Amino acid sequence: MNQHLLRQIPKVDDLLQNNAVLALLEQHPRCIVVEAIREALEQFRQAILQGALQEFPQQAMIEHIQTGVITRSQRHLKRVINGTGIIVHTNLGRSNLSQKAIEAVVETAGHYSNLEYDLQEGQRGSRYSHVKSLLCELLGCEDALVVNNNAAAVLLVLSTLGKGKEAIVSRGELVEIGGSFRIPDVMQQGGCVLKEVGTTNRTHLRDYEHALTENTAMILKVHTSNYRIVGFTKSVSLQDLKTLAVKAGVPLVEDMGSGLLIKLTPYSLSDEPTVQESLAAGVDVITFSGDKLLGGPQVGIIVGKKPYIESMKKHPLNRALRIDKMTLAALEATLMHYRDDNDALTAIPTLRAIAVSLPELYSKAERFLALLHDAAIPAEMIATTSQVGGGALPVQELSSYGIALTLPGYSPNQLEETLRKGTPPVIGRIVKDVYLLDVRTLEEEEFAMIVTRLKRLGFPGRDISRDSDL
Ligand SMILES: *Cc1c(COP(=O)(O)O)cnc(C)c1O
């Protein structure tokens, strides 16, 4: 039986003469068509060997090849629709850029620029000059440097200021961020010796004091971005650490994680420290991410006292960690919004998603619901909670509205999988056995895209027999 079916498997060359495949060859490079054929042949061969087929499905094979070609001709990195309600979603690309930042990227990517050219002097310039003065103007710091991401920023600071010496850190702050960024490991990479002080829940000023030696390079404060220690806790204020650092003659360094420049307390979030507050407390060197709460491109920003930043600029690692022109363009445009808090809160998508009011979310959900009902798709609005994400404000929830989709014939898990796998992929959440799309992270134009995808699904009450996306 198997032998009989195996003999029916066509040869690659024969398939290349098939009319449907010839049509594919007119639209797509030959190499991907051949690859899709080979993969399809192998799949069907395996299915026959496992006894899963009773007869050779010629038509299914052609469809498999067509799908294979289409998948291969699409970019692998593609847009997805974020219905999770997690604003800075690390797996979905963290922050979206503002319109002005996007325009800056497009212009810089397609044209020559003064990236490293001083137009006044007509000679070589520095790529960092474009954002340095803007950062100093916004934050009131002496100097600034930008590298590839915040992990790189921390590594550069430790390598420059701490190599062969000790950095004192509280045991309550030995953070691990997703993707294996762990403070003790980064220290080791930077050639810096970790001197842990205090306990997990309580660290006192005297713990830091007792750890100081002539080999101390810095006192390091790390923001516990993605967790909170609650209950019987104690940590030492930046002011007290600063006084101690001055007495010891070492810099006070802070890894803030998120780059918060505007207070978010008016938006029902707890009082997170801003970069300006840390600078005002006298912190000598601060590092933070560009694509978390700052809402810009992926970068690591280092701000603080000039002599320290100068020495980092000269460190060989700096060249290896430098940012490209598109990132720089996006960062400059993002930072310019911060000259006016209102501009930042409306133009920067991450901040806008945090600042949007509950009534606004309600009307947004109503508009989505109306489109769904027009298309006869069963859906209802329910109250839900969103999260800031990105390891920022981990225990806080923002009230929001979600659209619960209950399609007959689809379990929540099946719906989740179907919407995730099609084009454009829609990523939702299952809450209490209901499939849910949180409108906070959906863009208005995405409502119609989701409706189109749902309309293509076959379910009782809709006269469509198969999902052409699958
Ligand atoms: C997120 C974070 C990092 C890593 O920043 P990336 O921009 O992801 O490299 C480092 N430290 C803290 C405290 C963080 O929150």
Side-chain angles (χ1 to χ4, degrees), residues 165-169 174 183-184 187 192-196:
K165 299 176 97 184
E166 292 172 356
I168 306 176
V169 190
L174 296 174
I183 287 295
M187 289 248 173
C192 188
V193 179
L194 169 64
K195 186 99 175 204
E196 300 173 37

Side-chain angles (χ1 to χ4, degrees), residues 101 104 129-131 134 297 327-337:
S129 62
H130 310 289
V131 289
L134 192 49
T327 306
L328 202 43
L331 180 62
E332 184 182 22
T334 303
L335 289 172
M336 284 170 83
H337 291 299

Side-chain angles (χ1 to χ4, degrees), residues 90 94 148-154 173 175-178 181 183 186 221-226 255-258 287-292 297-301 390-392:
T90 300
R94 287 196 182 166
N148 189 50
N149 54 26
N150 188 34
V154 176
E173 298 173 1
V175 181
E176 172 176 325
I177 313 288
F181 174 94
I183 287 295
V186 181
K221 180 115 185 125
V222 184
H223 191 271
T224 59
S225 342
N226 51 5
D255 173 14
M256 294 194 79
S258 279
T287 69
F288 55 97
S289 293
D291 55 347
K292 290 183 179 171
Q298 178 198 297
V299 291
I301 300 175

Side-chain angles (χ1 to χ4, degrees), residues 135 139-147 150 153-154 157 161 218-221 223 238 251-261 273-289 300-305 308-309 312:
L135 281 164
L139 304 173
C141 53
E142 288 179 14
D143 204 352
L145 175 62
V146 183
V147 290
N150 188 34
V154 176
V157 172
L161 304 180
M218 72 184 79
I219 296 176
L220 177 64
K221 180 115 185 125
H223 191 271
L238 282 177
L252 174 60
V253 176
E254 185 180 15
D255 173 14
M256 294 194 79
S258 279
L260 186 59
L261 305 191
T274 60
V275 177
Q276 296 92 317
E277 284 170 335
S278 282
L279 283 165
V283 180
D284 298 286
V285 175
I286 298 175
T287 69
F288 55 97
S289 293
I301 300 175
I302 311 172
V303 297
K305 302 272 161 64
Y308 300 122
I309 306 271
M312 289 171 214

Side-chain angles (χ1 to χ4, degrees), residues 406-425:
T406 42
L407 262 59
Y410 284 85
S411 71
N413 283 317
Q414 284 168 333
L415 190 56
E416 188 280 328
E417 184 182 345
T418 305
L419 289 176
R420 169 164 46 83
K421 287 185 173 169
T423 303

Side-chain angles (χ1 to χ4, degrees), residues 376-425:
I377 295 161
E380 61 176 321
M381 193 197 308
I382 54 175
T384 185
T385 51
S386 328
Q387 284 173 36
V388 174
L393 306 152
V395 291
Q396 302 214 12
E397 296 196 319
L398 297 158
S399 299
S400 183
Y401 288 101
I403 297 297
L405 294 171
T406 42
L407 262 59
Y410 284 85
S411 71
N413 283 317
Q414 284 168 333
L415 190 56
E416 188 280 328
E417 184 182 345
T418 305
L419 289 176
R420 169 164 46 83
K421 287 185 173 169
T423 303

